[in-house]
Amino acid sequence: MTEEKLILKEDLLRICDDVIKKGDTLLAPGKSEYVIVKDVSEIKLDPEALPTKISFKSYVFPKSEPVLYYKRSKNDVTLIDADVNGRKIVVLGAKPCDTGSIDIMKDLFNWDYRDEFFNLRAKHFIMIGMMCKTHDEYCFCTSVGCSPVSENGSDLFLIPLSDKEFALRIVTEKGREFIEPYFRFLCDADTKRTEEVLSAAKNPETAFDPDEVHEWLGRNFESPKWDGIGEVCLSCAQCAFACPVCHCFDIVDEDYSYSEGRRMKNWDGCQFGHFTLHASGHNPRDIQSKRYRQRINHKFRYYVDKFGKILCTGCGRCSRGCPVSIDIKEIVSNCKD
Ligand code: SF4
Ligand code: SF4
């Protein structure tokens, strides 16, 4: 059984202060995105806040990063490895719809090729998740196997008992190693009280059954449904960039000069028209309806078939931020006859 302790907020902030003083990175939800905390007075730890507009994805999978450098001479090319920044990153107060995101992406980044850039960063993450006490009309974590009290992906998990104290669950060995030097701050927990708080969680209503959606998608690759969405969607890919688990990227060589340059890995998005554009000029996803169909099939069918996981945590970010109000929960809920 997961070990549980009680910690005062002021002591949790002392631990955070220590993380900052040691020179490790402390990330916490800010107003619209996760921010690097410079001073613990900036930490809000609000379980009633909605998910930030974008997740912490860029700290494990940067928007743009060099993967190697090259030098050309008359008869040769020399490749130079890029350095990976694998320093410790402590994420404080992540919502359950974010904590599991690294585990979901890990399968893709270790499938046909082991992406050591991603792996090294992921290895150095310490995830301190926190129970979520709110949801809006876009949230659907409970439809994709997550919930406001899910410890999935957390090394340590906080359950807010009041403004001043938390139950702290030690979920993984990594979490234990992190918290062990601070055991003096922890007291015995009143697990009955914690269970009362957990059972009062406000679950978003279950909107769909992912197995039924998977089955429907298998039968409806061609459907008028996709045409309707294709007429509205702007191909802006806000949905992909805000998403904690979307992971499309592109590889581009940038020449500094004739003799040297670097190879970059940059975020891309399957909603962009040029994403599947072949050098021949042929584009298998030449219209937006095909691209949006790909987005839904990838998340709720292909990823499930390949890795046994849904490529979605139900955070609702893509819908909240969509400039034309396309709501993924509504679309997936209607993937039925
Ligand atoms: S954010 Fe909305 S408009 Fe933009 S690509 Fe995604 S679904 Fe289309
Ligand atoms: S697809 Fe939308 S709801 Fe699902 S994880 Fe990505 S941003 Fe969140």
Side-chain angles (χ1 to χ4, degrees), residues 3-20:
E3 191 176 353
E4 184 176 311
K5 295 285 181 186
L6 184 86
I7 185 166
L8 296 177
K9 185 174 180 184
E10 59 188 67
D11 289 330
L12 182 64
L13 294 182
R14 280 198 185 106
I15 296 172
C16 292
D17 192 43
D18 203 34
V19 169
I20 297 169

Side-chain angles (χ1 to χ4, degrees), residues 229 232-240 271 288 292 295 318 321-326:
I229 301 164
V232 182
C233 176
L234 304 175
S235 317
C236 68
Q238 177 281 146
C239 44
Q271 299 307 291
Q288 190 51 29
Y292 200 84
R295 179 170 175 75
C318 53
C322 177
V324 289
S325 305
I326 292 177

